[in-house]
Amino acid sequence: MARFDIVGLNYVSLYPADHEAALEYYASVFGPLDLDDPKRGVWGWKMGSTWLTVFPSKAGTDPKGSTTNVEFAIQVATPQEVDRLYSAFMAAGVKGSSAPRNTEMYEPMRIGYIDDPFGVRIDIYCPR
């Protein structure tokens, strides 16, 4: 079995059907957003060493689905591990994907994602 150099599980994302209501709800619990950037489509709260992000449902794995659409990120040790783990997921079968690329969200990173057969989006990333 393949082993990967996984650093942590981070960046939990939710895709509620009512985005505005969800932002209000979570703000009532966690306080004002730490990042409110509609231009880039990112709304989030810093949670320890990671982020909780609430996206509009249209960005989720199944835009017509329920609020059960979720995403989490697996942080690996090197950019090469991003590509290697992404390839392993692709070989195992996926419903959708985005090939690894260099980008920036909360920090500069190399990231790729897959949508597993069960409706969960899994990001694979490494900070740059």
Side-chain angles (χ1 to χ4, degrees):
M1 166 157 299
R3 298 284 180 194
F4 300 94
D5 195 356
I6 296 173
V7 174
L9 189 65
N10 299 301
Y11 294 111
V12 175
S13 298
L14 308 175
Y15 299 89
D18 189 337
H19 183 247
E20 289 301 317
L23 289 176
E24 288 178 25
Y25 172 78
Y26 287 108
S28 74
V29 176
F30 300 122
L33 287 157
D34 293 309
L35 182 62
D36 184 356
D37 192 347
K39 193 176 219 178
R40 290 189 333 174
V42 180
W43 297 265
W45 288 267
K46 182 79 170 146
M47 303 254 167
S49 64
T50 194
W51 289 82
L52 170 64
T53 306
V54 179
F55 290 108
S57 64
K58 66 182 171 150
T61 59
D62 181 3
K64 295 178 182 149
S66 69
T67 56
T68 60
N69 285 307
V70 299
E71 173 181 2
F72 63 87
I74 299 171
Q75 181 182 353
V76 294
T78 67
Q80 295 78 16
E81 278 294 273
V82 171
D83 296 3
R84 200 165 79 84
L85 184 52
Y86 174 85
S87 294
F89 272 111
M90 292 299 291
V94 298
K95 290 181 73 176
S97 66
S98 177
R101 67 191 188 289
N102 293 332
T103 190
E104 183 172 331
M105 188 171 171
Y106 295 112
E107 61 185 328
M109 63 178 69
R110 178 153 185 84
I111 188 169
Y113 73 79
I114 64 96
D115 294 337
D116 77 7
F118 312 101
V120 176
R121 178 160 290 171
I122 302 170
D123 295 332
I124 305 147
Y125 82 101
C126 179
R128 294 185 285 122

